[in-house]
Amino acid sequence: MTRATAPGKFILFGEHAVVYGQPAIAFPLRQLRVTAQINIIPDAPRGHVRLHAPDIHYHAWLHEADEENPLRKIVELTLDEIHAQSSPAIEVRVSSEILVASGLGSGAAVSTAIVRALCQHFEQPLELERQSELVYEVEKIHHGTPSGIDNTVIIYDQPVYFIRGHQPERLSISGELTFILADTGLPSNTGQIVGNLRNAWEQNRPTFDTIFNHIGQVAERAKSAIAAGDVKSIGILMDENQQLLEQLGVSSETISGLLTTARDHGAYGAKLSGAGVGGIIITLVQPTASTRIVNALREAGAVWTGVTKV
Ligand code: MEV
């Protein structure tokens, strides 16, 4: 039996605009993980793979699964890459602590854990860059036109300053930042939201390009504020990024409600994180205020909260 894990992620600045070439900032969320386990099945024919994801009650032989099934796709891509298609039969078992469709990178984390587990099982190490490319292929099924930020931050497991098509830059951070993540309980369907925004952009490119550029400038200023450990400026920039996301039409009343609660209870700043509409919000807080703000967010309807320090 071989086991490997992968973290979730959260985007602090620049979601959506990153799809259009602007910079974004993201962090791995190491306290929530996906685990992939490989077990040999002695009595099945060579080359057979059984997929098992008990969390979503999914159980199928790989060759019988839908061709666009993300689990099938990542297993096939990886076995191809490491030339292990006709090895003794295996079961790929996946379990996840990451909420699906919440903006926490569950799809990329599942793919990453599987790539890692298969490479370990067959003792075929793969460069991180190549692993990221394989996961990106599957992200296309989830997201349509992904920027690549989710696979990058999860595979490299480092805070990143990311620009589509460029080598990711490791983010420099001064001091410690305390964030609360809170789930609205509403789904955030990335593929659909990114697709709707693309349609809107196609109808009115100048307006949307101006907003995307502005978000890119906010992300760039945030990079300097994070390097300087300037929490007040980071908070103000989060609020500014949120206003721009609202102009893009990817926020919602439920999100706004939680953001107002966080700010009213003394947060430095707050915004949606990920594709939006539902999913999670993120707020930067003073460490001593975190319990108070978590309780307030729960009372305001958050269905899950987590505190993370970076
Ligand atoms: C999804 O985690 C982030 C988006 O910017 C989409 C993408 O970058 O592919 C909304």
Side-chain angles (χ1 to χ4, degrees):
M1 185 262 282
T2 319
R3 188 180 280 163
T5 70
K9 70 98 206 333
F10 62 92
I11 296 180
L12 186 57
F13 288 98
E15 50 275 273
H16 287 296
V18 68
V19 175
Y20 298 82
Q22 297 297 330
I25 291 174
F27 294 83
L29 184 64
R30 299 194 179 111
Q31 69 225 53
L32 294 183
R33 306 194 75 84
V34 172
T35 303
Q37 186 176 311
I38 312 296
N39 300 311
I40 292 178
I41 317 175
D43 50 355
R46 285 180 80 85
H48 273 49
V49 178
R50 192 163 60 204
L51 302 171
H52 189 30
D55 298 339
I56 53 167
H57 308 289
Y58 185 76
H59 193 81
W61 287 104
L62 182 82
H63 59 277
E64 287 169 3
D66 190 290
E67 276 187 27
E68 287 298 282
N69 179 302
L71 297 177
R72 172 173 181 165
K73 186 98 178 176
I74 193 65
V75 171
E76 281 180 344
L77 283 171
T78 312
L79 293 180
D80 242 30
E81 181 72 24
I82 60 177
H83 308 293
Q85 302 97 327
S86 53
S87 314
I90 53 169
E91 176 189 66
V92 178
R93 189 188 168 96
V94 184
S95 57
S96 178
E97 300 166 346
I98 306 174
L99 306 152
V100 176
S102 66
L104 292 172
S106 128
V110 166
S111 297
T112 300
I114 291 176
V115 173
R116 286 183 179 161
L118 287 171
C119 290
Q120 267 180 47
H121 177 79
F122 290 107
E123 296 177 355
Q124 295 280 350
L126 261 191
E127 301 263 322
L128 290 183
E129 196 172 343
R130 187 64 192 133
Q131 291 186 27
S132 190
E133 283 165 6
L134 298 182
V135 175
Y136 181 74
E137 282 308 303
V138 181
E139 286 295 282
K140 288 186 197 163
I141 302 178
H142 288 295
H143 294 186
T145 54
S147 64
I149 192 168
D150 287 15
N151 47 291
T152 302
V153 66
I154 289 173
I155 287 276
Y156 288 90
D157 200 354
Q158 295 292 344
V160 291
Y161 182 76
F162 176 86
I163 301 175
R164 188 174 188 169
H166 291 64
Q167 275 296 106
E169 208 180 298
R170 201 183 157 166
L171 195 70
S172 126
I173 307 169
S174 275
E176 193 176 59
L177 303 173
T178 304
F179 293 105
I180 300 170
L181 301 167
D183 188 7
T184 57
L186 300 176
S188 176
N189 182 334
T190 306
Q192 203 173 57
I193 301 163
V194 170
N196 289 345
L197 185 54
R198 180 166 293 275
N199 290 340
W201 171 73
E202 270 160 8
Q203 309 284 313
N204 186 353
R205 290 191 185 202
T207 301
F208 284 92
D209 283 339
T210 305
I211 303 172
F212 293 145
N213 284 336
H214 197 155
I215 292 177
Q217 286 159 19
V218 167
E220 219 179 290
R221 280 190 274 147
K223 183 188 177 196
S224 310
I226 293 168
D230 179 355
V231 281
K232 286 203 176 131
S233 296
I234 301 168
I236 291 167
L237 289 165
M238 287 171 74
D239 289 344
E240 196 172 334
N241 195 159
Q242 172 61 24
Q243 276 172 17
L244 294 161
L245 288 162
E246 285 168 16
Q247 289 174 25
L248 292 180
V250 296
S251 194
S252 65
E253 264 181 43
T254 311
I255 288 173
S256 299
L258 292 183
L259 301 181
T260 306
T261 301
R263 293 184 191 121
D264 286 352
H265 286 78
Y268 291 117
K271 62 183 275 298
L272 67 80
S273 175
V277 179
I280 55 154
I281 63 118
I282 178 151
T283 173
L284 177 62
V285 301
Q286 251 171 359
T288 50
S290 61
T291 309
R292 185 163 47 83
I293 300 180
V294 161
N295 290 341
L297 288 167
R298 290 264 183 186
E299 251 172 59
V303 296
W304 171 88
T305 50
V307 178
T308 187
K309 291 177 189 290
V310 299

